[in-house]
Amino acid sequence: MNPSTIISSLKESGLTLSADGDRLLVEPRDRITDQTRAIIKQHKPALMALLTGKLDGAHHHQPETAEIWVIGWTPSGTPIKVRAKNAEHAAWIQRM
């Protein structure tokens, strides 16, 4: 399951997900199920990266020659580590 799919599923369930510093906020809190909580916890790094626009371990001011590794997702929802060509490519991978 990729982070975009998780966020879409939460919205369909009437929940909103946002980032506050290093925390994820889900509202309304009284509607969070144990299953939802487990999925969010399992995918927290990818969800944080998507919500904050930050790339996994990559800084936007890195030289183009630096290696940029990001977490990508297969069509079946399995996370994979992918080397991006540059920051723009890394952002594209994160949106997929």
Side-chain angles (χ1 to χ4, degrees), residues 19-81:
D20 180 26
D22 64 346
R23 297 176 43 214
L24 286 173
L25 304 176
V26 184
E27 296 180 299
R29 290 179 61 176
D30 62 338
R31 295 188 58 196
I32 303 169
T33 65
D34 290 338
Q35 180 182 9
T36 300
R37 186 174 283 108
I39 289 170
I40 293 169
K41 185 176 181 179
Q42 178 182 359
H43 297 283
K44 181 180 177 182
L47 290 166
M48 290 294 295
L50 181 64
L51 291 169
T52 62
K54 294 180 182 175
L55 305 177
D56 181 41
H59 302 285
H60 294 285
H61 301 303
Q62 288 182 330
E64 290 297 317
T65 57
E67 285 189 352
I68 301 173
W69 290 90
V70 295
I71 302 298
W73 300 89
T74 66
S76 65
T78 304
I80 57 171
K81 192 172 184 180

